[in-house]
Every structure is written in structure tokens, then in C-alpha cells.
């Protein structure tokens, strides 16, 4: 969640620590996108740490909720911005047209 920056959201914090997010062309920070719940970063599924990252996230979730299977409904590239959102993961930025 972009509202909990910095720290306080383990999936994001662990992703940053493992460097698994798609990085910005400018470098140094994850590329920001926008999907139906709001601002987001995307896991780079080709990154060598991606499988371990997802394994850990699902392991934590399974310790709280016993499940038989998982459907990652946002598992395909989807972004409401054309490329990176110009304002990054900032609450209230609409992106795509440069307006906030």
C-alpha cells in the first residue's frame, strides 16, 4: 500500500530488500504503475529472487488462512498509465496525462 511509506507493509518491504520489483528507466527506484486499487509496483517475474519472494508471501498468508489454491487475479501486466506513472506511487496521482 502506498499509504504506508516507508516501512510497515511487509510485502513491499521484503520486495525492496530482495530487489524483485521492475525498476524505473531512471534507475534506483521501482517503476510506478496504477491499477484498480491504486498505485503499485510490479514484481519482475524474471528476477532470480521472484520465486522465493512469492513463496515467502504465500507462506505467510497460509499461516493465517488455510487455503487449497491461489488465483493471482492481477498476474498479468496491467497499468492505467501509459508506461510509468509520472508522479510515481503517490496517493491521489492519476498518472498517464501528467495531471495530479
Amino acid at each position: 500500500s502506498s499509504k504506508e511509506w516507508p516501512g510497515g507493509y511487509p510485502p513491499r518491504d521484503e520486495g525492496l530488500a530482495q530487489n524483485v520489483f521492475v525498476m524505473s528507466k531512471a534507475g534506483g527506484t521501482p517503476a510506478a504503475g496504477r491499477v484498480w486499487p491504486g498505485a503499485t509496483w510490479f514484481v519482475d517475474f524474471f528476477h532470480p529472487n521472484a520465486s522465493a519472494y512469492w513463496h515467502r508471501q504465500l507462506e505467510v498468508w497460509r499461516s493465517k488462512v488455510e487455503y487449497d489454491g491461489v488465483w493471482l487475479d492481477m498476474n498479468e501486466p496491467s497499468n492505467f498509465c501509459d508506461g510509468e506513472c509520472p508522479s510515481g506511487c503517490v496517493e491521489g496521482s492519476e498518472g498517464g496525462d501528467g495531471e495530479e
Side-chain angles (χ1 to χ4, degrees):
S1 168
S2 61
K3 294 179 185 179
E4 299 173 7
W5 178 263
Y9 186 59
R12 183 205 47 240
D13 299 340
E14 292 172 19
L16 286 170
Q18 294 177 28
N19 195 34
V20 297
F21 296 116
V22 173
M23 298 304 283
S24 172
K25 283 188 205 180
T29 61
R34 181 162 296 282
V35 294
W36 62 267
T40 191
W41 294 336
F42 304 99
V43 173
D44 178 354
F45 286 93
F46 293 105
H47 193 285
N49 296 337
S51 293
Y53 170 81
W54 277 114
H55 183 270
R56 170 77 179 137
Q57 301 313 307
L58 293 171
E59 183 177 66
V60 168
W61 189 33
R62 183 114 186 2
S63 73
K64 298 174 184 175
V65 178
E66 279 196 40
Y67 59 83
D68 293 325
V70 174
W71 175 7
L72 295 175
D73 113 320
M74 292 298 291
N75 63 346
E76 74 285 343
S78 178
N79 190 2
F80 296 158
C81 299
D82 185 13
E84 277 189 70
C85 291
S87 299
C89 283
V90 177
E91 189 62 30
S93 80
E94 297 306 319
D97 59 6
E99 295 181 11
E100 294 188 38

